[in-house]
Amino acid sequence: MELLMASAIGALTAAGIYLVLRMRSFPVILGVSLLSYAVNLFLFASGRLAINLPPILHDGVHDYTDPLPQALVLTAIVISFGMSAVVVMLALGAYLSGRSDAIDMSAQDTENGQ
Amino acid sequence: MDILLPVIAALPFLGALLPGLMIRAGRATCASYTALSSGLAFLLLLICAPTVMQGEVLHFRLDWLPALGLNVTFMLDGLGLLFAGLIIGIGLLIILYARYYLSHDDPMGQFYTYLLLFQGAMVGIVLSDNILLLLVFWELTSLSSFLLIGYWTHLPEGRQGARMALTVTGLGGLAMIAGMLILGNIAGSYDISVILTQGEAIRDSEMYVPALLLILLGAFTKSAQFPFHFWLPHAMAAPTPVSAYLHSATMVKAGLFLMARLWPVLSGTPEWFYIVATTGLVTMIIGAVIALFKDDLKALLAFSTVSHLGLITMLLGFGTKMAAVAAVFHIINHATFKAALFMTAGIIDHEAHSRDIKRLGGLRRLMPVTFVIATVASLSMAGIPLLNGFLSKEMMLEEAVHTVWMGSYYMMPALATLGALFSVAYSFRYIVHVFLGPVRDDYPGHPHDPGFGMWAAPALLVVAVVAIGVAPFLAEPLVRTTAHAVIGGELPEFHLKIWHGVTPALFLSGTAVIGGAVLLAAHAPLMRGWLAAPRPEAKVMFDATARGATRLSGWLSDSMHNGSLTRFAAIFTITVVAAGLWAWGGAGIGAPERTMLPIRALPAVGWLVLIVSTGCLIAFHRNRLLALVLLAGVGLSVSMAFVYLSAPDLALTQISVEVVTIILLLLALNFLPKTTPIESSTMRRLRDAALAIVGGVAVSALTYAILIRDFAFDSISAFHLANSYKGGGGHNVVNVILVDFRGFDTYGEITVLGIAALVIFALTDTVLRGPGGRWLVRWGAGTDEAGDRHPLMMVVATRVMMPIALLVGVYIFLRGHNEPGGGFIAGLVVAIALLMQYMASGFAWAEARQRTPYHALIAAGVLIASLTGVGAWLAGRPFLTSDYGYITLPPLEKFEWATAMGFDLGVFLTVVGAVMLALNSLSSMARRRGETINIYPMDINPERPDSPPPPPTGPGGEKET
């Protein structure tokens, strides 16, 4: 199970990095989303994996999973939604205003900027 | 009386508000109000003075950040009293002087505000009993002196001088921060009164030398010691009141103050002696030599100040008690005669319109009052008997005679006399070349004595010069009290008197006076030689260094960040992976400590789905719609993983966020190109793939390494499990952590979420107002939409589901404290329930039927969360402390309530508001593009007799205007 988890996180990270390195805004957004999955899973896994050990207190039960990473990841998931939403709007605004969704500055932009 | 200390420190800062307010009432009023706040501070200081003179030390303490050792602690002992008196007293004289010095074009209110800010910072330094607090004030003096030196912003010299002063003293200040932290660490406290008791421990510590060097770096830069002396002459571009204040009495003395303050702790070691005494000696001689060859009056005084600061530094460096007494005495004397001299230089500049010695001379008859003041002050600076400069210079030479430097008995007295000799020469020059000689007929202005207001301040100072010189016993109590504070122990046996008998110091003094006179007589040929000789120019070197540093940092950032974000992302990825590899340091993966969980069929299938979806996502990412579908697949697999791995709350959150995110991306994709073009070369793609694989493998390895090992330290989770019910009243530990244990985190999170939604709203508004909005209008409605935009089946189904979905939301919210659920998830579920209506009948249609402003929801959410937190204060508990109990309402079972529920309600409202506001923003883009707003909830309704034919443009659709 641990091997599956580690490889899944690795695959998500690799795909995320690859997409983040693309030159248009939409794949970059997808890449960031994948990286968020990977990071959230990684944080979650830092509490170690457990099956059938819920973080809900019951009488007579002594073994529980680690609730702390879960709480941290829960807010992280919601925040990453907020972040994606902002980035999407930025990309959309940039495309509508500049008529292009390329993320690198053109040679002309670079010159004007300096 | 202790309570007066913070008042004294605060008065200049409070007073700094007055000049700006009062400038409209006229310049005289403005100056009087400025003087009022300083005068009040001076008065309060005088009230404290008798107690301190009796040897008591006043303390004031207010805990600020006790955990960091940073507290507002003030202390007033003899040293603080002397410096505070000098700072506020001379400050008052400067306020008077500047009233007449500044011209009508100069913004006077601004000047006085800066001056009082500076005064407050200086008073803060000398009153602080906490070195961290002292550092705060120390940096404030650098900043406020920057404003003062650059006061004449139209002068390039002023701006450059201010920048140079800030750079040099600022860099020294940074070094000093490090030194002070080390010092506090050794002493175990940041309170000066504690540090002063730890002298032996500090001197024996192996960190003594680094701490000493760093602190001295700060002190030397501030007090313009060689080789950092160069900024002081360039700061002379400031108005003369500033030069007189900052560069005679106050800022440059801050370094001396610090050395005196820490003298009992740091002095007495060979390191201290050789570094401090030698630096002082070198500075004294170099400053004096350069001063002799400066034609600008203020430059001459600036270098003479450098020289005298060197003298005092050298005395402190000697490390003997008597030398410390002499240093204290010279600080008093130098402040009086040098401030007076600067003011006379300002008067000459003001009246004769030049401070170039070559263009002056013979002013004796034209400006008799100024002549007398300047002459007395200059003679004191030269060390002529019956003036106060003589007394302390004698004491300095006496100490130099007794000092052995590098095994030589003659080196120190000889060099000290050489410095004194040059000092005499430039002091005489200030009199002879400016005032004596024939009256000229080519002065740039019409030199005459100024009004009383302008010469009153220097005259008062000169009276002090003569009074101390003739009757030194007047100053003795102050010197004793101050020296006692510096030495921190028994005072040596001494009396301040004019005649000590025939001592070696008297011979040296006489030599210096005669030699100085001879030197001045030979000034003209010496000057030619000086001008012909090659000299290093500090400003050129400083500018070259600054340029070099700018070019280096420019090159570094340009080469990494050339406008290509992808390049930057690649560099970032490489750096992170490299840092990870380096941190791992080849230790490899440790031996497994945990038993691995078995791989069952179900999770294996889930894993396969995830891997295949991710792989397909990469392969087909150019088809953006397909990529989005695959992304949703990945998200679902992740949710399933959370279900399987005992995280029900996470699974619920992930799946609802997934829905919202994909809807958002779909809406955005509506406006974006539907495919991604192939732009990068094959090489580039291979490079990116290599990077991605390296990064992925690294993260995999890291995860695996963590998963097979147990915690290195005990986790704090056990505490949460044990106290979740007892302390937080909930069985769902995850939820209790969110709303109770880590409530402050969650509070921050919902605030951020709310801000994110507002940012989206503002961004949309900006885009729609700009060219993007106009383009959207021209673009017009898309042509590739489905024919049946609001299908009957969907509308009916969502209407039926709406109450159920809302009920589910409420249920999830209510049970959240004890079962999986809570505000976050409930908020998302309710948002989805509303979204379904919007999808079915169109956003505008649905919005017209519900009037909740989403901004208000966000605000209400954050507000309710805050109020719940504040409620704990009423019970005398810290912010966000929760409470719970049980109540029974008659028809219902006994149920539990918790204040955390109120907090969770805040979370819930914020989440609903934020999600809806983000989607609302996107839909307003669609409407700008000309999408129709339907009158009816669905396109075709069999019940409606006039049901129109199906759209392309929508039945009875109206264009939004």
Side-chain angles (χ1 to χ4, degrees), chain A residues 1-2 6-7 10 14 22 24 37 48 50 52-53 55-57 66 70 75 79 89 95 99 101 104-105, chain B residues 563-566 597 599 607 624 646 658 671 679-680 688 692 700 706 709 717 731 733 749 760 764 775 818:
Chain A
M1 193 64 217
E2 277 78 1
S7 55
R22 300 302 89 206
R24 298 282 167 157
Y37 291 136
R48 309 300 186 266
N52 290 330
L53 296 176
I56 317 282
L57 301 177
D66 194 338
Q70 294 198 14
T75 47
I79 286 292
M89 281 315 295
Y95 176 66
R99 238 53 79 65
D101 63 346
D104 281 358
M105 286 163 88
Chain B
S564 163
L565 291 180
T566 47
L597 296 170
I599 299 177
W607 177 83
R624 292 181 172 184
S646 317
E658 205 51 49
F671 302 99
E679 282 174 312
S680 37
D688 291 348
S700 277
I706 290 175
R709 306 276 291 183
S717 300
H731 289 99
V733 187
E749 307 257 19
I760 291 170
T764 314
W775 189 50
N818 291 318

Short mmCIF file of all heavy atoms in Angstrom, two decimals, chain A residues 1-2 6-7 10 14 22 24 37 48 50 52-53 55-57 66 70 75 79 89 95 99 101 104-105, chain B residues 563-566 597 599 607 624 646 658 671 679-680 688 692 700 706 709 717 731 733 749 760 764 775 818:
data_model
loop_
_atom_site.label_atom_id
_atom_site.label_comp_id
_atom_site.label_asym_id
_atom_site.label_seq_id
_atom_site.Cartn_x
_atom_site.Cartn_y
_atom_site.Cartn_z
N MET A 1 0.82 -1.21 0.00
CA MET A 1 0.00 0.00 0.00
C MET A 1 0.86 1.27 0.00
O MET A 1 0.62 2.21 -0.73
CB MET A 1 -0.89 -0.01 1.25
CG MET A 1 -1.99 1.01 1.22
SD MET A 1 -3.18 0.72 -0.09
CE MET A 1 -3.55 2.36 -0.60
N GLU A 2 1.92 1.25 0.87
CA GLU A 2 2.80 2.41 0.94
C GLU A 2 3.46 2.68 -0.41
O GLU A 2 3.61 3.84 -0.82
CB GLU A 2 3.89 2.18 2.01
CG GLU A 2 3.47 2.50 3.43
CD GLU A 2 2.60 1.41 4.06
OE1 GLU A 2 2.35 0.41 3.37
OE2 GLU A 2 2.17 1.57 5.21
N ALA A 6 3.27 6.10 -2.52
CA ALA A 6 4.47 6.85 -2.90
C ALA A 6 4.52 7.02 -4.41
O ALA A 6 4.80 8.11 -4.92
CB ALA A 6 5.71 6.12 -2.39
N SER A 7 4.21 5.96 -5.14
CA SER A 7 4.31 6.07 -6.60
C SER A 7 3.22 6.99 -7.14
O SER A 7 3.45 7.75 -8.08
CB SER A 7 4.23 4.69 -7.23
OG SER A 7 3.05 4.05 -6.81
N GLY A 10 4.33 10.45 -6.59
CA GLY A 10 5.40 10.75 -7.55
C GLY A 10 4.84 11.01 -8.94
O GLY A 10 5.25 11.97 -9.61
N ALA A 14 5.24 14.45 -11.01
CA ALA A 14 5.92 14.50 -12.31
C ALA A 14 5.00 15.14 -13.34
O ALA A 14 5.40 16.05 -14.08
CB ALA A 14 6.32 13.10 -12.72
N ARG A 22 4.81 24.09 -19.26
CA ARG A 22 4.26 24.42 -20.60
C ARG A 22 4.17 25.94 -20.75
O ARG A 22 4.27 26.68 -19.79
CB ARG A 22 2.89 23.78 -20.81
CG ARG A 22 2.80 22.26 -20.75
CD ARG A 22 3.68 21.58 -21.75
NE ARG A 22 5.00 21.36 -21.18
CZ ARG A 22 6.11 21.25 -21.89
NH1 ARG A 22 6.08 21.36 -23.20
NH2 ARG A 22 7.26 21.04 -21.31
N ARG A 24 1.53 27.80 -22.08
CA ARG A 24 0.20 28.43 -22.10
C ARG A 24 -0.40 28.36 -20.71
O ARG A 24 -0.08 27.44 -19.93
CB ARG A 24 -0.70 27.70 -23.10
CG ARG A 24 -0.20 27.77 -24.52
CD ARG A 24 -0.52 29.13 -25.10
NE ARG A 24 0.20 29.36 -26.33
CZ ARG A 24 -0.19 30.22 -27.25
NH1 ARG A 24 -1.29 30.93 -27.06
NH2 ARG A 24 0.52 30.40 -28.34
N TYR A 37 -2.85 18.23 -5.61
CA TYR A 37 -3.20 16.85 -5.20
C TYR A 37 -2.01 16.18 -4.55
O TYR A 37 -2.12 15.56 -3.48
CB TYR A 37 -3.62 16.00 -6.40
CG TYR A 37 -4.93 16.37 -7.03
CD1 TYR A 37 -5.04 16.44 -8.41
CD2 TYR A 37 -6.05 16.63 -6.26
CE1 TYR A 37 -6.23 16.76 -9.03
CE2 TYR A 37 -7.24 16.96 -6.86
CZ TYR A 37 -7.34 17.03 -8.24
OH TYR A 37 -8.51 17.35 -8.83
N ARG A 48 1.24 8.89 8.30
CA ARG A 48 1.30 7.44 8.04
C ARG A 48 -0.09 6.93 7.64
O ARG A 48 -1.11 7.53 7.96
CB ARG A 48 1.83 6.63 9.24
CG ARG A 48 3.13 7.14 9.82
CD ARG A 48 4.29 7.14 8.82
NE ARG A 48 5.55 7.49 9.46
CZ ARG A 48 6.06 8.72 9.51
NH1 ARG A 48 5.40 9.73 8.95
NH2 ARG A 48 7.20 8.94 10.09
N ALA A 50 -3.35 4.43 7.35
CA ALA A 50 -4.10 3.56 8.24
C ALA A 50 -5.39 3.16 7.54
O ALA A 50 -5.98 3.98 6.84
CB ALA A 50 -4.39 4.26 9.56
N ASN A 52 -9.25 1.58 8.12
CA ASN A 52 -10.29 1.30 9.11
C ASN A 52 -9.97 1.79 10.51
O ASN A 52 -10.31 1.16 11.50
CB ASN A 52 -10.56 -0.21 9.17
CG ASN A 52 -11.25 -0.67 7.90
OD1 ASN A 52 -11.99 0.11 7.28
ND2 ASN A 52 -10.98 -1.89 7.49
N LEU A 53 -9.31 2.91 10.58
CA LEU A 53 -9.07 3.52 11.89
C LEU A 53 -9.54 4.96 11.82
O LEU A 53 -8.74 5.87 11.67
CB LEU A 53 -7.58 3.50 12.25
CG LEU A 53 -6.89 2.17 12.45
CD1 LEU A 53 -5.40 2.37 12.70
CD2 LEU A 53 -7.52 1.41 13.60
N PRO A 55 -10.87 8.81 12.51
CA PRO A 55 -10.50 9.79 13.54
C PRO A 55 -11.70 10.25 14.35
O PRO A 55 -11.75 11.38 14.80
CB PRO A 55 -9.93 10.95 12.71
CG PRO A 55 -10.72 10.90 11.45
CD PRO A 55 -11.07 9.46 11.21
N ILE A 56 -12.69 9.37 14.50
CA ILE A 56 -13.89 9.72 15.27
C ILE A 56 -13.85 8.91 16.55
O ILE A 56 -13.70 7.68 16.51
CB ILE A 56 -15.17 9.34 14.50
CG1 ILE A 56 -15.06 9.72 13.03
CG2 ILE A 56 -16.41 9.91 15.16
CD1 ILE A 56 -15.26 11.16 12.74
N LEU A 57 -14.02 9.58 17.68
CA LEU A 57 -13.92 8.87 18.95
C LEU A 57 -15.12 7.96 19.16
O LEU A 57 -16.27 8.34 18.91
CB LEU A 57 -13.85 9.88 20.10
CG LEU A 57 -12.69 10.86 20.06
CD1 LEU A 57 -12.78 11.84 21.22
CD2 LEU A 57 -11.37 10.12 20.09
N ASP A 66 -4.16 9.23 12.61
CA ASP A 66 -3.62 10.52 13.04
C ASP A 66 -4.54 11.62 12.52
O ASP A 66 -4.62 11.85 11.32
CB ASP A 66 -2.21 10.67 12.48
CG ASP A 66 -1.48 11.80 13.13
OD1 ASP A 66 -2.15 12.70 13.68
OD2 ASP A 66 -0.23 11.80 13.09
N GLN A 70 -4.88 15.30 8.81
CA GLN A 70 -6.18 15.39 8.14
C GLN A 70 -6.76 16.78 8.26
O GLN A 70 -7.25 17.35 7.29
CB GLN A 70 -7.15 14.37 8.73
CG GLN A 70 -6.72 12.94 8.47
CD GLN A 70 -7.86 11.98 8.66
OE1 GLN A 70 -9.02 12.37 8.74
NE2 GLN A 70 -7.54 10.69 8.71
N THR A 75 -8.12 22.00 5.34
CA THR A 75 -8.08 23.42 5.00
C THR A 75 -7.25 23.63 3.74
O THR A 75 -7.56 24.51 2.93
CB THR A 75 -7.50 24.24 6.15
OG1 THR A 75 -6.32 23.61 6.60
CG2 THR A 75 -8.48 24.35 7.29
N ILE A 79 -8.27 25.83 0.56
CA ILE A 79 -7.43 26.96 0.13
C ILE A 79 -6.94 26.75 -1.29
O ILE A 79 -6.87 27.68 -2.08
CB ILE A 79 -6.25 27.13 1.10
CG1 ILE A 79 -6.74 27.74 2.41
CG2 ILE A 79 -5.17 28.00 0.50
CD1 ILE A 79 -7.20 29.17 2.30
N MET A 89 -8.85 33.14 -12.80
CA MET A 89 -9.30 34.48 -13.16
C MET A 89 -8.16 35.31 -13.72
O MET A 89 -8.34 36.09 -14.66
CB MET A 89 -9.88 35.19 -11.93
CG MET A 89 -11.26 34.80 -11.56
SD MET A 89 -12.39 34.71 -12.94
CE MET A 89 -12.41 36.41 -13.42
N TYR A 95 -5.85 36.73 -20.75
CA TYR A 95 -6.20 36.33 -22.12
C TYR A 95 -7.14 37.35 -22.75
O TYR A 95 -6.96 37.77 -23.90
CB TYR A 95 -6.85 34.95 -22.11
CG TYR A 95 -7.33 34.52 -23.47
CD1 TYR A 95 -6.39 34.27 -24.49
CD2 TYR A 95 -8.68 34.40 -23.76
CE1 TYR A 95 -6.82 33.90 -25.74
CE2 TYR A 95 -9.10 34.02 -25.02
CZ TYR A 95 -8.17 33.76 -26.00
OH TYR A 95 -8.58 33.41 -27.25
N ARG A 99 -5.30 39.11 -25.37
CA ARG A 99 -5.62 38.31 -26.55
C ARG A 99 -4.65 37.16 -26.74
O ARG A 99 -4.49 36.65 -27.85
CB ARG A 99 -5.59 39.21 -27.79
CG ARG A 99 -6.82 39.33 -28.65
CD ARG A 99 -8.05 39.70 -27.92
NE ARG A 99 -8.18 41.10 -27.61
CZ ARG A 99 -8.32 42.09 -28.49
NH1 ARG A 99 -8.31 41.83 -29.78
NH2 ARG A 99 -8.48 43.31 -28.12
N ASP A 101 -2.81 33.67 -24.47
CA ASP A 101 -2.66 32.99 -23.19
C ASP A 101 -1.26 32.44 -23.01
O ASP A 101 -1.03 31.58 -22.18
CB ASP A 101 -3.72 31.89 -23.02
CG ASP A 101 -3.58 30.79 -24.05
OD1 ASP A 101 -2.86 31.02 -25.05
OD2 ASP A 101 -4.19 29.72 -23.88
N ASP A 104 4.93 33.38 -21.23
CA ASP A 104 6.24 34.03 -21.27
C ASP A 104 6.08 35.43 -21.85
O ASP A 104 5.25 35.66 -22.72
CB ASP A 104 7.21 33.24 -22.13
CG ASP A 104 7.76 32.06 -21.36
OD1 ASP A 104 7.38 31.93 -20.18
OD2 ASP A 104 8.52 31.28 -21.95
N MET A 105 6.90 36.34 -21.37
CA MET A 105 6.89 37.67 -21.96
C MET A 105 7.51 37.57 -23.34
O MET A 105 8.49 36.87 -23.54
CB MET A 105 7.71 38.64 -21.11
CG MET A 105 7.03 39.03 -19.82
SD MET A 105 8.19 39.75 -18.68
CE MET A 105 8.12 41.46 -19.19
N GLY B 563 12.06 37.24 -18.03
CA GLY B 563 10.73 37.48 -18.59
C GLY B 563 10.04 36.18 -18.96
O GLY B 563 8.86 36.16 -19.28
N SER B 564 10.79 35.06 -18.93
CA SER B 564 10.18 33.78 -19.24
C SER B 564 9.82 33.06 -17.95
O SER B 564 10.70 32.66 -17.18
CB SER B 564 11.17 32.94 -20.06
OG SER B 564 10.75 31.60 -20.04
N LEU B 565 8.53 32.93 -17.71
CA LEU B 565 8.10 32.29 -16.47
C LEU B 565 8.43 30.81 -16.48
O LEU B 565 8.73 30.22 -15.44
CB LEU B 565 6.60 32.49 -16.24
CG LEU B 565 6.20 33.93 -15.91
CD1 LEU B 565 4.70 34.01 -15.70
CD2 LEU B 565 6.92 34.42 -14.67
N THR B 566 8.38 30.20 -17.66
CA THR B 566 8.68 28.77 -17.71
C THR B 566 10.13 28.51 -17.34
O THR B 566 10.44 27.56 -16.64
CB THR B 566 8.42 28.21 -19.12
OG1 THR B 566 9.00 29.09 -20.06
CG2 THR B 566 6.94 28.12 -19.40
N LEU B 597 1.24 -2.06 4.91
CA LEU B 597 -0.13 -2.49 4.73
C LEU B 597 -0.21 -3.33 3.45
O LEU B 597 0.49 -3.05 2.48
CB LEU B 597 -1.05 -1.27 4.58
CG LEU B 597 -1.14 -0.37 5.81
CD1 LEU B 597 -1.86 0.91 5.45
CD2 LEU B 597 -1.83 -1.09 6.94
N ILE B 599 -1.41 -4.86 -0.11
CA ILE B 599 -2.05 -4.26 -1.29
C ILE B 599 -3.26 -5.10 -1.65
O ILE B 599 -3.12 -6.27 -2.05
CB ILE B 599 -1.06 -4.19 -2.46
CG1 ILE B 599 0.15 -3.34 -2.07
CG2 ILE B 599 -1.73 -3.63 -3.70
CD1 ILE B 599 1.22 -3.26 -3.11
N TRP B 607 -5.57 2.93 -7.75
CA TRP B 607 -4.23 3.40 -8.12
C TRP B 607 -4.08 3.39 -9.63
O TRP B 607 -3.58 4.35 -10.23
CB TRP B 607 -3.20 2.49 -7.45
CG TRP B 607 -1.77 2.81 -7.79
CD1 TRP B 607 -1.00 3.76 -7.20
CD2 TRP B 607 -0.96 2.19 -8.78
NE1 TRP B 607 0.24 3.77 -7.76
CE2 TRP B 607 0.30 2.81 -8.73
CE3 TRP B 607 -1.18 1.14 -9.70
CZ2 TRP B 607 1.35 2.45 -9.57
CZ3 TRP B 607 -0.14 0.79 -10.53
CH2 TRP B 607 1.12 1.43 -10.47
N ARG B 624 -8.15 20.56 -24.39
CA ARG B 624 -8.32 21.08 -23.03
C ARG B 624 -9.56 20.51 -22.34
O ARG B 624 -9.53 20.28 -21.13
CB ARG B 624 -8.39 22.60 -23.06
CG ARG B 624 -7.05 23.19 -23.46
CD ARG B 624 -7.06 24.68 -23.49
NE ARG B 624 -5.71 25.19 -23.70
CZ ARG B 624 -5.41 26.48 -23.70
NH1 ARG B 624 -6.35 27.38 -23.52
NH2 ARG B 624 -4.18 26.86 -23.89
N SER B 646 -9.09 5.93 5.75
CA SER B 646 -9.63 6.39 7.04
C SER B 646 -9.67 7.91 7.18
O SER B 646 -9.35 8.43 8.24
CB SER B 646 -8.80 5.85 8.22
OG SER B 646 -8.49 4.52 8.02
N GLU B 658 -13.87 19.18 -5.72
CA GLU B 658 -13.63 18.71 -7.08
C GLU B 658 -14.74 19.22 -8.01
O GLU B 658 -14.48 19.74 -9.09
CB GLU B 658 -13.63 17.18 -7.05
CG GLU B 658 -12.87 16.54 -8.14
CD GLU B 658 -11.49 17.12 -8.25
OE1 GLU B 658 -10.79 17.22 -7.23
OE2 GLU B 658 -11.15 17.50 -9.38
N PHE B 671 -14.18 30.74 -22.36
CA PHE B 671 -13.61 31.95 -22.95
C PHE B 671 -12.20 31.74 -23.48
O PHE B 671 -11.65 32.60 -24.13
CB PHE B 671 -13.55 33.07 -21.91
CG PHE B 671 -14.88 33.41 -21.32
CD1 PHE B 671 -15.26 32.90 -20.10
CD2 PHE B 671 -15.76 34.21 -22.02
CE1 PHE B 671 -16.48 33.20 -19.56
CE2 PHE B 671 -17.00 34.51 -21.49
CZ PHE B 671 -17.36 34.01 -20.26
N GLU B 679 4.18 24.30 -29.24
CA GLU B 679 5.12 25.41 -29.42
C GLU B 679 6.54 25.01 -29.12
O GLU B 679 7.47 25.44 -29.79
CB GLU B 679 4.74 26.57 -28.49
CG GLU B 679 3.58 27.37 -29.01
CD GLU B 679 3.15 28.40 -28.00
OE1 GLU B 679 2.99 28.06 -26.81
OE2 GLU B 679 2.97 29.55 -28.39
N SER B 680 6.72 24.19 -28.08
CA SER B 680 8.08 23.92 -27.66
C SER B 680 8.69 22.85 -28.56
O SER B 680 8.00 21.96 -29.08
CB SER B 680 8.10 23.47 -26.20
OG SER B 680 6.97 22.68 -25.91
N ASP B 688 11.96 19.05 -20.27
CA ASP B 688 10.91 19.17 -19.26
C ASP B 688 10.53 17.81 -18.70
O ASP B 688 10.31 17.65 -17.50
CB ASP B 688 9.69 19.86 -19.86
CG ASP B 688 9.97 21.32 -20.16
OD1 ASP B 688 11.02 21.81 -19.70
OD2 ASP B 688 9.16 21.95 -20.87
N ALA B 692 10.68 16.61 -14.94
CA ALA B 692 9.48 16.10 -14.29
C ALA B 692 9.74 14.74 -13.68
O ALA B 692 9.36 14.47 -12.53
CB ALA B 692 8.33 16.04 -15.29
N SER B 700 8.60 10.65 -4.81
CA SER B 700 8.24 9.27 -4.49
C SER B 700 9.15 8.70 -3.43
O SER B 700 8.69 8.13 -2.43
CB SER B 700 8.36 8.39 -5.74
OG SER B 700 7.22 8.49 -6.51
N ILE B 706 9.49 8.20 4.19
CA ILE B 706 8.74 8.61 5.38
C ILE B 706 7.79 7.50 5.82
O ILE B 706 7.68 7.16 7.01
CB ILE B 706 7.94 9.91 5.09
CG1 ILE B 706 8.90 11.07 4.94
CG2 ILE B 706 6.94 10.18 6.20
CD1 ILE B 706 8.22 12.35 4.54
N ARG B 709 8.93 4.46 7.92
CA ARG B 709 9.54 4.71 9.23
C ARG B 709 8.51 5.25 10.20
O ARG B 709 7.54 5.88 9.81
CB ARG B 709 10.66 5.77 9.11
CG ARG B 709 11.71 5.45 8.08
CD ARG B 709 12.76 4.56 8.61
NE ARG B 709 13.59 5.24 9.61
CZ ARG B 709 14.65 4.68 10.18
NH1 ARG B 709 14.98 3.45 9.85
NH2 ARG B 709 15.34 5.33 11.09
N SER B 717 -0.42 14.38 18.12
CA SER B 717 -1.78 13.95 17.81
C SER B 717 -2.45 13.30 19.03
O SER B 717 -3.65 13.45 19.23
CB SER B 717 -1.75 12.93 16.68
OG SER B 717 -1.20 13.53 15.55
N HIS B 731 -16.64 14.47 19.12
CA HIS B 731 -16.04 13.16 18.86
C HIS B 731 -15.21 13.17 17.59
O HIS B 731 -14.30 12.38 17.42
CB HIS B 731 -17.13 12.09 18.75
CG HIS B 731 -17.78 11.78 20.05
ND1 HIS B 731 -18.98 12.34 20.43
CD2 HIS B 731 -17.38 11.01 21.10
CE1 HIS B 731 -19.30 11.91 21.64
NE2 HIS B 731 -18.35 11.11 22.07
N VAL B 733 -12.47 14.25 15.80
CA VAL B 733 -11.26 14.96 16.20
C VAL B 733 -10.81 15.95 15.13
O VAL B 733 -10.35 17.05 15.44
CB VAL B 733 -10.15 13.94 16.52
CG1 VAL B 733 -8.95 14.64 17.11
CG2 VAL B 733 -10.66 12.88 17.49
N GLU B 749 -7.59 30.91 7.53
CA GLU B 749 -7.92 30.27 6.25
C GLU B 749 -9.18 30.86 5.63
O GLU B 749 -9.23 31.16 4.44
CB GLU B 749 -8.14 28.77 6.44
CG GLU B 749 -7.03 28.07 7.14
CD GLU B 749 -6.15 27.29 6.18
OE1 GLU B 749 -6.17 27.56 4.98
OE2 GLU B 749 -5.46 26.41 6.67
N ILE B 760 -11.07 37.89 -6.93
CA ILE B 760 -11.66 37.43 -8.18
C ILE B 760 -12.71 38.42 -8.66
O ILE B 760 -12.75 38.81 -9.83
CB ILE B 760 -12.28 36.03 -7.99
CG1 ILE B 760 -11.17 35.01 -7.76
CG2 ILE B 760 -13.16 35.65 -9.16
CD1 ILE B 760 -11.67 33.67 -7.33
N THR B 764 -12.40 40.59 -12.09
CA THR B 764 -13.41 40.52 -13.14
C THR B 764 -13.88 41.91 -13.51
O THR B 764 -13.98 42.28 -14.69
CB THR B 764 -14.62 39.71 -12.65
OG1 THR B 764 -14.14 38.54 -12.04
CG2 THR B 764 -15.55 39.37 -13.78
N TRP B 775 -13.72 43.77 -25.89
CA TRP B 775 -13.50 42.68 -26.82
C TRP B 775 -14.57 41.61 -26.66
O TRP B 775 -15.07 41.05 -27.64
CB TRP B 775 -12.10 42.10 -26.60
CG TRP B 775 -11.71 41.12 -27.64
CD1 TRP B 775 -11.78 41.28 -29.00
CD2 TRP B 775 -11.23 39.80 -27.42
NE1 TRP B 775 -11.34 40.16 -29.63
CE2 TRP B 775 -11.00 39.23 -28.69
CE3 TRP B 775 -10.95 39.04 -26.29
CZ2 TRP B 775 -10.51 37.95 -28.84
CZ3 TRP B 775 -10.46 37.77 -26.44
CH2 TRP B 775 -10.24 37.24 -27.71
N ASN B 818 -19.32 15.78 15.69
CA ASN B 818 -19.18 14.41 16.20
C ASN B 818 -19.00 13.36 15.11
O ASN B 818 -18.52 12.28 15.38
CB ASN B 818 -20.39 14.05 17.05
CG ASN B 818 -20.41 14.85 18.34
OD1 ASN B 818 -19.37 15.03 18.97
ND2 ASN B 818 -21.56 15.37 18.70
#
